Amino acid sequence: MKPTETPKTYRVKSFGCQMNVYDGERMAEMLAEKGIAPAPEGEDADLVVLNTCHIRERAAEKIYSDIGRLTKGKTQTKPPMIAVAGCVAQAEGEEIMKRAPAVSMVVGPQAYHRLPEMLDRAVQGERATDTDMPPIAKFDALPRRRKSAPTAFLTVQEGCDKFCTYCVVPYTRGAEISRPFVDLIAEAQSLVEAGAREITLLGQNVNAWSGEDDKGRAIGLAGLIRALAPIDGLERLRYTTSHPADMDDALIAAHGEIEILMPYLHLPVQSGNDRVLRAMNRSHTAESYLKLLERFRAARPDIALSGDFIVGFPGETEAEFKDTLSIVDEVRYAQAYSFKYSPRPGTPAATMEGQIAMEVMDERLQRLQARLNRDQHAFNAATEGKTCTVLVERKGKHPGQWLGKSPWLQSVWFEGEAAIGDLVEVEVVEGGPNSLAGRLLVAAPA
Ligand code: SAH
Ligand code: SF4
Ligand code: F3S
């Protein structure tokens, strides 16, 4: 590659999960430290970071088409310098370098703290790949947080040792690690100082977080939540995503005791059939999962439940799929994500016998989603006439309209006197399929 000028503007495009959103923000902060500014909406960026996801379908193919559009002037008038980050970078870094000469940098999810240095080399005309996996080193090398939105993500745990047979995450994100307690308290404090009122603790297996508090006591996620809760100015805490195998009594109890821990639990089950769950290498059964949910409901009766589902796992019969429908009927999720099984290269399930035809998966997904939508709508409708506290996140389309979140993570629209970051009381007028319409009652004192 030819040497070029140092980019003046950047754009980070993040795909996939919230960890990628967090990583994207951290990369943006590093670029800002280097004096590179975010490209204004609709304008060309000198540097584009594609922060990719590898979880399903032709995610990698999408990256090549994005790169093609950038270099051919379809996305912006002038082709930018391109960096590929995220889980596709980790899984297929060398392949990307070979196939896409327009890419200057390939950087994995555990190595992006080296992005500024790679950028210096790219400016000299060198192409660089870094897919090392020293996760804690990354966090230590990142600049201080200065994000100023009312809601913020905070990665507390990364990686996965569960090896569900369909999943790429253990390969792209590496082994489970927990960030140190003191670092997390410090990062949460700087997020709140910068304006965050809600923090969502993130991890591929966030409830596997473990560490030692400032007095040297061994604690789990519940202990971390208890230590974060008193931070002055922090109004809401959430965490995602949990694995049933790592759930402990302390976390369940925390839902009944810590006021700012929101009544919401995302706990993927994937399937309602025990044979399929075993083949997936999930360590729970349908029954053990349901028992766990019962305990959460006992601790926090109004808790909103959310989950992930995969239909068409290799060998899944119609009867086995119906067990998934049954568990949905039993749980009545407030919200959920459902996917068609996608064979991921290098995972055990990709070469299992009994791969399911696409038409069958399409049809099963439709049936499943019909029930999940029914339950989500019912959950929303059940809040009609009730009052809830809404954290205002942004302006709506119409003048005077605002969008915020309820404690149960529902989107709430309302009109009136408010500002981003306010916690306001809203009466729910209508509970629709995807959001709530509300009437502003009184603005809480700031
Ligand atoms: N660590 C989290 C998130 C994993 S990825 C967890 O265990 O819940 C998010 C979701 O993507 C998973 O819960 C699963 O439902 C889905 N998923 C993962 N791999 C998949 C695959 N190969 N095909 C279809 N869906 C998949
Ligand atoms: Fe993937 Fe399973 Fe780990 Fe979740 S627990 S990240 S689905 S391997
Ligand atoms: Fe995707 Fe990687 Fe997250 S594969 S879902 S971006 S951990």
Side-chain angles (χ1 to χ4, degrees):
M1 286 206 151
K2 281 189 279 179
T4 67
E5 276 175 39
T6 302
K8 292 190 184 58
T9 59
Y10 72 83
R11 176 166 295 123
V12 179
K13 267 182 83 177
S14 289
F15 305 89
C17 64
Q18 292 148 324
M19 309 277 286
N20 254 15
V21 175
Y22 175 88
D23 293 345
E25 285 170 3
R26 306 304 316 257
M27 286 190 268
E29 285 166 346
M30 278 191 293
L31 296 171
E33 287 257 300
K34 265 187 102 60
I36 309 176
E41 192 90 61
E43 282 179 33
D44 280 10
D46 300 333
L47 166 67
V48 171
V49 181
L50 297 172
N51 190 20
T52 61
C53 172
H54 201 45
I55 201 86
R56 280 175 294 272
E57 341 259 335
R58 300 176 303 267
E61 291 310 313
K62 187 171 162 15
I63 296 316
Y64 292 111
S65 73
D66 274 359
I67 294 168
R69 284 208 307 277
L70 283 166
T71 51
K72 291 194 190 93
K74 294 201 172 133
T75 325
Q76 49 181 57
T77 52
K78 197 167 78 321
M81 181 185 274
I82 300 173
V84 178
C87 291
V88 181
Q90 190 66 39
E92 298 182 14
E94 279 173 32
E95 172 81 13
I96 296 170
M97 275 299 189
K98 274 193 221 129
R99 264 183 71 181
V103 171
S104 310
M105 292 162 271
V106 165
V107 61
Q110 308 301 12
Y112 65 75
H113 55 297
R114 305 210 185 106
L115 188 63
E117 186 192 315
M118 293 170 81
L119 181 62
D120 292 338
R121 283 158 60 193
V123 169
Q124 303 301 318
E126 250 181 84
R127 300 176 82 203
T129 301
D130 194 336
T131 49
D132 280 359
M133 286 198 162
I136 294 290
K138 168 181 78 184
F139 292 110
D140 287 346
L142 296 173
R144 198 179 152 80
R145 302 308 309 265
R146 48 177 156 201
K147 191 178 185 278
S148 64
T151 61
F153 290 136
L154 172 52
T155 294
V156 303
Q157 179 280 341
E158 265 202 282
C160 184
D161 299 337
K162 304 289 186 291
F163 291 93
C164 301
T165 53
Y166 50 82
C167 185
V168 289
V169 171
Y171 311 97
T172 60
R173 293 269 169 173
E176 283 180 13
I177 62 110
S178 295
R179 291 181 64 194
F181 176 85
V182 282
D183 295 4
L184 296 172
I185 301 289
E187 190 169 328
Q189 267 159 350
S190 50
L191 284 168
V192 173
E193 275 160 31
R197 304 198 81 185
E198 170 180 299
I199 293 180
T200 302
L201 308 178
L202 297 181
Q204 267 92 22
N205 284 292
V206 70
N207 60 336
W209 184 88
S210 67
E212 275 185 8
D213 68 8
D214 45 358
K215 299 195 179 64
R217 289 175 299 211
I219 54 167
L221 187 66
L224 178 62
I225 288 171
R226 277 180 203 279
L228 291 168
I231 293 180
D232 200 23
L234 182 62
E235 308 286 347
R236 289 180 165 189
L237 273 169
R238 303 179 183 277
Y239 60 94
T240 197
T241 294
S242 301
H243 192 289
D246 294 316
M247 236 4 136
D248 62 10
D249 295 342
L251 190 57
I252 297 172
H255 275 276
E257 291 162 13
I258 298 177
E259 216 175 309
I260 74 163
L261 181 59
M262 291 291 104
Y264 187 93
L265 174 69
H266 182 67
L267 191 64
V269 66
Q270 314 297 357
S271 163
N273 177 268
D274 290 346
R275 190 205 63 81
V276 174
L277 288 169
R278 262 196 316 279
M280 287 176 162
N281 194 31
R282 299 286 297 183
S283 50
H284 55 86
T285 60
E287 198 192 327
S288 69
Y289 175 85
L290 288 170
K291 286 229 166 89
L292 199 50
L293 294 188
E294 255 172 52
R295 290 164 62 205
F296 272 93
R297 279 183 163 148
R300 182 78 208 224
D302 70 337
I303 198 161
L305 299 169
S306 161
D308 291 350
F309 298 88
I310 296 176
V311 304
F313 185 80
E316 185 190 66
T317 64
E318 170 65 19
E320 288 168 343
F321 167 68
K322 281 200 174 126
D323 288 342
T324 299
L325 296 179
S326 306
I327 206 166
V328 168
D329 286 346
E330 182 135 2
V331 174
R332 302 276 163 166
Y333 290 92
Q335 199 265 341
Y337 302 91
S338 49
F339 313 101
K340 287 183 275 190
Y341 167 71
S342 163
R344 309 310 296 135
T347 61
T351 49
M352 281 180 187
E353 283 181 24
Q355 301 283 325
I356 307 289
M358 192 51 84
E359 308 82 75
V360 176
M361 287 204 275
D362 281 329
E363 192 262 342
R364 285 182 189 168
L365 188 66
Q366 270 183 25
R367 280 152 73 199
L368 174 60
Q369 288 184 342
R371 298 207 187 192
L372 293 170
N373 292 342
R374 169 200 71 187
D375 294 345
Q376 180 174 320
H377 195 169
F379 185 84
N380 288 346
T383 55
E384 277 175 17
K386 292 192 182 148
T387 299
C388 68
T389 309
V390 173
L391 175 58
V392 184
E393 292 185 8
R394 61 178 172 88
K395 285 185 174 164
K397 281 187 208 103
H398 313 295
Q401 193 190 35
W402 300 94
L403 177 66
K405 292 274 162 55
S406 78
W408 306 278
L409 210 61
Q410 297 146 299
S411 294
V412 187
W413 299 95
F414 67 92
E415 283 174 16
E417 196 70 26
I420 291 170
D422 280 355
L423 281 163
V424 295
E425 294 301 309
V426 164
E427 183 194 321
V428 180
V429 180
E430 197 192 330
N434 300 308
S435 62
L436 310 178
R439 189 171 65 82
L440 182 64
L441 296 176
V442 275

